[in-house]
């Protein structure tokens, strides 16, 4: 369990609201650089990638509406309910790192 999930329960009676954010990959220069370090595979093309503006809007809405968590892209919600299966799939589908030059 994430620390923020436990914290939410601990402070619930203190009128403190905690939002847990579970972001998947987010389109950015850093994400592009990270992907370029791995071999290209067919599976990698189908990895859902979020948008930073969408994620920011979802977090803001969760704070305003006192929602407990944000998961984006939504397809990653399965990881919360089936963590063992998700780890197994990640281990099997994550491509190998490219060899460093020289």
């Amino acid at each position: 369990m994430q620390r923020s999930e436990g914290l939410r329960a601990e402070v619930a009676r203190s009128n403190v609201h905690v939002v847990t954010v579970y972001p998947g990959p987010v389109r950015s220069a850093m994400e592009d650089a990270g992907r370029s370090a791995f071999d290209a595979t067919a599976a990698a093309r189908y990895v859902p990638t979020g948008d930073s503006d969408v994620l920011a809007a979802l977090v803001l809405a969760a704070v305003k509406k006192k929602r407990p968590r944000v998961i984006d892209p939504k397809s990653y919600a399965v990881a919360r309910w089936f963590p063992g299966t998700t780890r197994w799939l990640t281990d099997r589908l994550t491509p190998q790192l490219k060899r460093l030059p020289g």
Side-chain angles (χ1 to χ4, degrees):
M1 177 186 340
Q2 297 289 330
R3 288 185 176 138
S4 56
E5 295 281 352
L7 178 63
R8 181 181 309 105
E10 288 181 31
V11 299
R13 293 184 182 180
S14 303
N15 202 26
V16 174
H17 176 67
V18 177
V19 177
T20 304
V21 180
Y22 295 96
V26 176
R27 275 188 259 354
S28 67
M30 186 167 73
E31 193 254 350
D32 289 341
R35 282 187 190 256
S36 71
F38 290 89
D39 289 332
T41 64
R45 284 184 287 214
Y46 300 104
V47 172
T49 304
D51 177 88
S52 59
D53 291 334
V54 171
L55 180 59
L58 290 170
V59 171
L60 182 59
V63 170
K64 287 180 178 179
K65 296 178 181 181
K66 297 193 176 192
R67 292 186 180 140
R69 67 193 55 82
V70 172
I71 302 172
D72 186 64
K74 296 272 188 244
S75 57
Y76 287 102
V78 71
R80 184 168 181 272
W81 298 109
F82 301 101
T85 302
T86 302
R87 278 191 294 277
W88 183 85
L89 284 169
T90 300
D91 290 345
R92 300 307 178 279
L93 298 177
T94 298
Q96 295 296 311
L97 280 170
K98 291 180 180 177
R99 290 191 179 267
L100 295 174

